[in-house]
Amino acid sequence: QSVLTQPPSASGTPGQRVTISCSGSSSNIGSNTVNWYRHLPGTAPKLLFNSNNQRPSGVPDRFSGSKSGTSASLAISGLQSEDEADYYCAAWDDSLSGQVFGTGTKVTVL
Amino acid sequence: EVQLVESGGGLVQPGGSLRLSCAASGFTFSRYAMNWVRQAPGKGPEWVSEISGNGVKTYYADSVKGRFIISRDNSKNTLYLHMNSLRAEDTAIFYCAKDDGSYGFDFWGQGTLVTVSS
């Protein structure tokens, strides 16, 4: 059972902005960096940006992240069909002494 | 170019053991913590274990604590996961992942499938 909660789905039309939330607690999001991953079936998850909000090569600047207290958000602006995927947040949890992933959000482009 | 190549997966009976390996190249292996992450069929990713760059510190998910052991050989640029007392619920694709220094996993292997079934 994940300790980071995400909405199961999100959707938008091409060009729209979609936001995905990730709710945690003081022991994980509240005190550590939140990372976001995109996952396509049959492939390994891909880090969208690192702790300095730097994007690995190939990740467009349409993706951005923010954090406030014990919650975080991923925003996808200018939604494109290739953005259809599952998105997961993750953070180190000081109480568990381990990394925790979110429940995942499936993004659909209508 | 960073490359991570897992091996060692396969079919094993409940209660059995398996050792996974992850051969790393393209970066200074000993400088980075390494992780194992698994993904069961139809489920999201689940972090399994982490080991520090020098191998001194190890961390485990509660679901595998006492059954799995993570280790590394920096002279061979290889990460290992020794899995004992395997259960059906351990069936998953196991990925090794490089830590970017801030608990972000910036490079992943292609994964190796572990199936626990009689």
Side-chain angles (χ1 to χ4, degrees):
Chain A
Q1 187 175 355
S2 176
V3 299
L4 302 183
T5 303
Q6 300 176 233
S9 63
S11 63
T13 56
Q16 277 191 328
R17 175 185 171 94
V18 168
T19 302
I20 300 168
S21 62
C22 174
S23 179
S25 67
S26 58
S27 63
N28 42 65
I29 293 178
S31 50
N32 295 298
T33 301
V34 178
N35 293 291
W36 289 91
Y37 298 88
R38 177 169 60 184
H39 181 241
L40 294 168
T43 68
K46 181 180 176 64
L47 183 67
L48 289 175
F49 37 81
N50 62 19
S51 58
N52 296 319
N53 265 336
Q54 294 172 328
R55 297 171 192 80
S57 62
V59 178
D61 60 5
R62 301 183 292 101
F63 292 86
S64 62
S66 63
K67 187 177 87 167
S68 178
T70 60
S71 294
S73 294
L74 171 70
I76 310 172
S77 58
L79 194 65
Q80 299 183 8
S81 57
E82 59 259 35
D83 297 332
E84 281 204 341
D86 295 322
Y87 292 84
Y88 295 90
C89 58
W92 183 263
D93 190 293
D94 293 332
S95 296
L96 297 175
S97 292
Q99 185 93 206
V100 289
F101 281 89
T103 50
T105 299
K106 183 175 184 62
V107 169
T108 302
V109 181
L110 302 172
Chain B
E1 178 193 5
V2 172
Q3 283 199 325
L4 299 171
V5 180
E6 301 95 338
S7 60
L11 175 64
V12 61
Q13 291 188 337
S17 300
L18 213 53
R19 187 186 80 164
L20 305 183
S21 300
C22 171
S25 61
F27 65 102
T28 305
F29 184 67
S30 61
R31 289 183 59 185
Y32 294 92
M34 295 293 295
N35 292 262
W36 288 99
V37 179
R38 67 184 180 184
Q39 190 151 19
K43 300 284 185 66
E46 178 192 16
W47 174 80
V48 172
S49 183
E50 175 179 297
I51 186 168
S52 60
N54 60 11
V56 171
K57 294 183 179 179
T58 58
Y59 305 91
Y60 298 92
D62 287 344
S63 57
V64 306
K65 204 170 291 183
R67 300 187 298 123
F68 291 10
I69 299 173
I70 190 172
S71 63
R72 64 192 297 162
D73 185 336
N74 287 345
S75 69
K76 296 181 179 179
N77 288 352
T78 302
L79 173 72
Y80 301 101
L81 185 67
H82 304 256
M83 305 185 295
N84 301 307
S85 302
L86 283 162
R87 306 166 180 166
E89 54 264 36
D90 295 317
T91 294
I93 296 173
F94 282 72
Y95 298 97
C96 65
K98 171 186 167 292
D99 192 297
D100 68 354
S102 298
Y103 299 116
F105 304 150
D106 55 355
F107 290 96
W108 299 62
Q110 84 288 352
T112 187
L113 177 63
V114 172
T115 303
V116 184
S117 174
S118 54

